[in-house]
Amino acid sequence: MLRVGLCVLVLALGACNKSDAGANHELAQTMLRERGAPDFADASTDAFAAIRHEPSGMVCVLPPNGAFAFDVFPANAQNAGAQCSSTQDGVAVGWVAVRFSTPTTLDAVFSASVAQLAAGLEPEAWPGQVSAADLQSPQGLVHYRIQRLQAPVGGEMQFLRVAVAERDGWYLQQIVSAPIASAQEAETAAGEIWRQGLARFSAPNVSDAAAAG
């Protein structure tokens, strides 16, 4: 039910995440024009280039190098949503925002996400140290669930992580995979990125606030 493709648009990026607001905005806006994906808008800052899925509040930060992909779900999809992903130094990070047509719960979505991530594998609990960022209290009013696993993928052990949060009927998912040798570094970075993603996800939507005003 939650399976989506994360390889719709792949760009080699070498000019983003610079401390140059103009360049960051230009990169994001050029990408949006060329891709023509609806529901996304420029969310860049002085520090990084980014795009925001306006209906859900999911913000996708472009990596300083590596591959980046994004898209919205097809108009005829059962559920509304969008996705983005990046790959850098062997670490893949995917973000998915979904609004389900049938009422569900955070625990149900989380269980389905973990099952999908582990499908066809023989996973076991990852024995490493949970990131310091994840040990903090939930961000604002947004609650979340996180699972960390390790499993052989293509003959090599991989670190796997899935995190899910809910706000106003939207479910935000973070999916991470990394070589087991870099698992601790990937977990630390993923925890920090997750906290940042939660803060942006829980922030009021500018367009919604303007409409309410």
Side-chain angles (χ1 to χ4, degrees):
M1 179 173 61
L2 301 179
R3 188 175 298 277
V4 292
L6 293 176
C7 301
V8 179
L9 174 68
V10 178
L11 302 174
L13 300 175
C16 56
N17 286 36
K18 295 181 179 179
S19 297
D20 184 336
N24 290 337
H25 285 293
E26 181 179 0
L27 177 62
Q29 291 168 8
T30 298
M31 181 187 305
L32 290 171
R33 284 196 304 271
E34 292 180 351
R35 180 64 183 85
D39 295 337
F40 275 98
D42 178 15
S44 304
T45 70
D46 289 357
F48 54 77
I51 56 176
R52 176 185 175 100
H53 180 241
E54 294 288 84
S56 68
M58 176 181 70
V59 174
C60 304
V61 177
L62 280 64
N65 54 67
F68 178 75
F70 77 101
D71 200 10
V72 294
F73 292 6
N76 61 352
Q78 180 180 359
N79 305 305
Q83 61 208 14
C84 59
S85 65
S86 63
T87 304
Q88 185 176 356
D89 298 329
V91 179
V93 180
W95 293 89
V96 184
V98 185
R99 180 185 285 277
F100 294 97
S101 58
T102 302
T104 185
T105 65
L106 176 59
D107 287 332
V109 175
F110 177 65
S111 295
S113 298
V114 173
Q116 179 182 317
L117 184 67
L121 305 177
E122 297 181 1
E124 56 187 40
W126 178 64
Q129 178 66 46
V130 173
S131 75
D134 287 331
L135 296 176
Q136 301 177 37
S137 300
Q139 180 73 39
L141 298 178
V142 177
H143 295 280
Y144 56 85
R145 308 283 186 270
I146 303 176
Q147 179 71 59
R148 303 164 188 84
L149 303 169
Q150 60 184 29
V153 180
E156 306 223 351
M157 192 65 73
Q158 289 276 314
F159 166 73
L160 304 170
R161 168 189 164 111
V162 60
V164 180
E166 185 274 338
R167 179 185 68 85
D168 296 338
W170 280 98
Y171 291 87
L172 178 70
Q173 303 173 65
Q174 178 201 51
I175 305 108
V176 179
S177 68
I180 200 66
S182 56
Q184 192 62 66
E185 293 84 354
E187 163 65 10
T188 298
E192 295 173 354
I193 294 169
W194 176 243
R195 294 291 298 187
Q196 296 166 11
L198 281 183
R200 298 174 187 127
F201 179 61
S202 62
N205 190 310
V206 175
S207 59
D208 288 347

